[in-house]
Amino acid sequence: MSGNFMKYLIKINLTLLLLLTGWQAPAQRKGPLFRISKETLQDKIKGGWAGQTIGVTFGWPTEFVYQGTFIQDYQPIPWHADYVSEAMHTFPGLFDDIYMDLTFVEVIERLGVHAPAASFARAYASAGYELWHANQAGRYNVLQGIPAARSGHWEHNPHADDIDFQIEADFAGLMSPAMPGAASALCDRVGHIMNYGDGWYGGVFVANMYAQAFKSNDVKTVVGQALRAVPVQSKFYQCIADVIRWHRRYPSDWKRTWFEIQRKWSAEAGCPDGVFHPLNIDAKLNAAYVVLGLLYGNGDFTKTMEISTRAGQDSDCNPSTAGGVLGTMLGYSKIPAYWLDPLKKAERLPFSHTTLALRDVYELGVKHALQHVAENGGRISGNIIEIPQEPVSPVRFEESFPGHFPAGKVQVNSTRSDSVSFRFDGKGFVLRGFVQKLSRSASDKPVRVALYIDDQFLEEFDLPLIAAHRRTELCWKYSLAPGAHRVTLKAVAPNPDYEIVAREAVVYQ
């Protein structure tokens, strides 16, 4: 019997055995594939990290200086040959957009692309850097034992709709090239640590813009496709859809669209620092400024930087996001030398609170993107990466502060070591204030307090004295029965070495 015939019999018998045992051939790839070379992928990932670093540096002197107004054309915004290095040495905290991202990048490097939400939460909650707004509220919640999936929820976090995750979602998009579903899934794990509702959608939208920027060279396509990931019934979707519509109506006048944004979308309902104040750190408003820069910049890096910065409010984070998305779309090699040369001088400088410099981040970015592609059914064959394509699907709908509208403020102005009390009429409140030591020798042990509403005990919690662990506001409660209420915050063990400083309460009807 010939050897070839024996091989044939073995093949037939093996096939019969596999069929009898229920084995099935692996499914073949279906649908379209997006192909990109490793060199192009690397260039785009470098462009994304470079663009956001350039943007946050450019906006350095303007952050929250222009609240409710744009920066006039005649007002110069500095930029020079050593500007990035100067910023990193002079004000390392400016780069919170970047080092927060890098905290999550380091988790992925240690635990892989499927690292659980709790690992991301623990990493940033235990980091030593300063945080504000939703990030700090989420950190406090994590340190107090609230699960990562709930620490950004509006009932636990008065800053749930703030910009925080929107400015930190870059990493999720940069490691999800042309994979919007994968970007959204990663945002679900990380974004709810500090945000919810429109605050979470800001990150989903940004990550999806990055994902789209790998495969499209048209800004309008990148923005429009990314918006499909956001539920249409959300205010975030409606705000960005309005900006797109106004751009079509006023294609050469970004200031006219800026005025339309102010007229319809500048009201603040959540952030206690922004309600009844010109400051607005709401995710959707600042995302509107990002889109304003991208659409009216139309692929021009300089115009995009100028417009997204001159729109005001969080005017370092917004050009950082716009610059990151556009840098990904253009690639590192096509960022104009005017912007790129000062960055190159700083690429070996580690960011604050991390050992990573940009040159390290570039390498990790490519490594994690390739891992994420492989985990999501992609194939790397030599120099070519093939990525299965699926339509963009909206994430689930959620809403922060439903039915709550700012109705006024109650001036409390109380400084006591034992208790704070005030009355209000409404269905919710946020009491702004802090605790402080009156003696240098006093310990940093948190002050334990109990919250009573209408003389009924509600909860007991800590007010930490360490700034990195602080509670963003003294206390809050939403969804009460509408009407008159009395709020009392009592120290469980009053100590004359400490005092509770209560400023004012934001009241909701």
Side-chain angles (χ1 to χ4, degrees):
M1 188 178 293
S2 71
N4 287 338
F5 185 68
M6 284 294 296
K7 290 178 183 178
Y8 175 76
L9 286 177
I10 292 171
K11 184 177 180 181
I12 292 293
N13 289 334
L14 180 60
T15 302
L16 289 171
L17 177 63
L18 291 172
L19 290 173
L20 288 171
T21 56
W23 177 86
Q24 292 181 340
Q28 297 298 311
R29 285 188 179 90
K30 295 181 180 180
L33 291 173
F34 171 70
R35 292 177 175 85
I36 186 171
S37 70
K38 284 185 179 179
E39 288 84 355
T40 301
L41 180 80
Q42 181 182 35
D43 190 49
K44 286 179 173 290
I45 288 173
K46 285 182 66 176
W49 286 107
Q52 60 177 304
T53 307
I54 291 167
V56 73
T57 307
F58 183 58
W60 174 18
T62 68
E63 180 186 19
F64 290 116
V65 175
Y66 298 84
Q67 300 174 5
T69 184
F70 56 72
I71 304 172
Q72 296 292 341
D73 295 339
Y74 56 72
Q75 175 66 46
I77 302 175
W79 187 259
H80 59 72
D82 290 308
Y83 203 44
V84 181
S85 298
E86 178 187 327
M88 292 185 74
H89 284 115
T90 306
F91 183 27
L94 170 69
F95 297 91
D96 56 334
D97 305 49
I98 314 296
Y99 58 67
M100 274 290 293
D101 272 75
L102 298 185
T103 298
F104 304 137
V105 167
E106 288 173 327
V107 171
I108 291 166
E109 177 63 10
R110 286 189 293 108
L111 302 177
V113 296
H114 295 299
S119 296
F120 292 107
R122 283 194 300 269
Y124 108 96
S126 59
Y129 43 65
E130 272 195 279
L131 292 173
W132 300 268
H133 295 274
N135 277 332
Q136 180 58 31
R139 167 192 269 173
Y140 171 87
N141 288 339
V142 171
L143 292 174
Q144 297 300 313
I146 294 177
R150 296 283 296 170
S151 55
H153 192 278
W154 63 275
E155 291 178 332
H156 303 299
N157 190 332
H159 299 269
D161 276 344
D162 288 2
I163 196 176
D164 302 59
F165 184 56
Q166 181 168 295
I167 68 174
E168 297 149 11
D170 313 75
F171 83 100
L174 284 167
M175 65 180 288
S176 306
M179 300 189 300
S184 294
L186 188 52
C187 286
D188 194 3
R189 259 184 291 156
V190 180
H192 283 108
I193 299 170
M194 68 289 291
N195 284 100
Y196 187 83
D198 283 349
W200 177 49
Y201 294 147
V204 171
F205 176 61
V206 166
N208 270 265
M209 283 200 291
Y210 275 99
Q212 294 294 333
F214 282 92
K215 64 177 185 176
S216 176
N217 291 320
D218 180 73
V219 172
K220 293 188 285 293
T221 299
V222 168
V223 172
Q225 287 296 311
L227 190 57
R228 291 173 178 261
V230 180
V232 296
Q233 65 268 50
S234 68
K235 291 179 181 177
F236 189 98
Y237 180 99
Q238 294 161 18
C239 175
I240 303 305
D242 274 345
V243 179
I244 295 170
R245 178 169 56 86
W246 292 325
H247 173 253
R248 292 190 189 118
R249 185 178 299 175
Y250 315 112
S252 59
D253 190 353
W254 73 263
K255 292 175 184 175
R256 175 60 187 268
T257 294
W258 184 93
F259 277 112
E260 296 293 342
I261 294 168
Q262 296 306 111
R263 180 182 62 82
K264 186 172 180 180
W265 292 109
S266 60
E268 172 66 272
C271 175
D273 302 301
V275 174
F276 303 112
H277 191 280
L279 173 97
N280 195 313
I281 200 164
D282 180 77
K284 60 183 173 294
L285 178 76
N286 286 278
Y289 295 160
V290 171
V291 173
L292 188 77
L294 286 169
L295 292 180
Y296 284 93
N298 195 29
D300 183 294
F301 198 88
T302 298
K303 286 179 66 177
T304 300
M305 287 292 97
E306 287 279 343
I307 295 169
S308 56
T309 303
R310 291 186 182 277
Q313 294 293 359
D314 202 345
S315 57
D316 65 332
C317 294
N318 296 336
S320 179
T321 301
V325 171
L326 188 57
T328 305
M329 193 182 85
L330 297 175
Y332 182 90
S333 60
K334 292 183 180 178
I335 295 175
Y338 173 80
W339 299 101
L340 195 59
D341 287 350
L343 179 87
K344 288 180 177 179
K345 296 179 181 180
E347 287 181 328
R348 293 178 179 270
L349 297 176
F351 288 100
S352 177
H353 303 284
T354 178
T355 59
L356 297 176
L358 270 173
R359 62 174 185 170
D360 307 310
V361 178
Y362 298 153
E363 293 181 10
L364 287 177
V366 174
K367 176 183 177 181
H368 295 166
L370 292 175
Q371 290 174 350
H372 212 202
V373 166
E375 290 285 344
N376 284 274
R379 182 170 60 188
I380 302 162
S381 179
N383 187 48
I384 301 300
I385 303 161
E386 295 182 334
I387 304 170
Q389 294 298 280
E390 297 177 353
V392 183
S393 299
V395 297
R396 64 184 176 277
F397 176 69
E398 54 188 46
E399 182 180 9
S400 303
F401 316 108
H404 288 71
F405 304 95
K409 289 184 177 180
V410 174
Q411 296 301 318
V412 180
N413 297 324
S414 172
T415 305
R416 297 171 61 94
S417 61
D418 54 353
S419 67
V420 174
S421 187
F422 69 96
R423 297 179 183 274
F424 77 96
D425 191 284
K427 66 178 294 185
F429 74 92
V430 179
L431 179 60
R432 302 182 69 210
F434 54 91
V435 291
Q436 64 183 8
K437 294 192 293 185
L438 299 179
S439 168
R440 288 187 177 182
S441 61
S443 76
D444 287 330
K445 183 179 179 181
V447 174
R448 189 75 175 171
V449 294
L451 176 62
Y452 296 81
I453 298 181
D454 302 328
D455 298 322
Q456 298 294 312
F457 172 78
L458 188 68
E459 61 177 327
E460 196 173 292
F461 51 88
D462 288 336
L463 295 175
L465 289 134
I466 298 173
H469 299 169
R470 74 189 184 281
R471 189 173 167 102
T472 52
E473 284 75 33
L474 287 173
C475 59
W476 57 86
K477 183 62 179 175
Y478 305 104
S479 302
L480 295 167
H485 298 284
R486 173 183 168 86
V487 177
T488 304
L489 190 65
K490 293 183 179 181
V492 172
N495 186 326
D497 287 339
Y498 308 91
E499 64 184 7
I500 303 168
V501 180
R503 296 301 191 202
E504 61 186 12
V506 176
V507 175
Y508 291 87
Q509 293 281 14

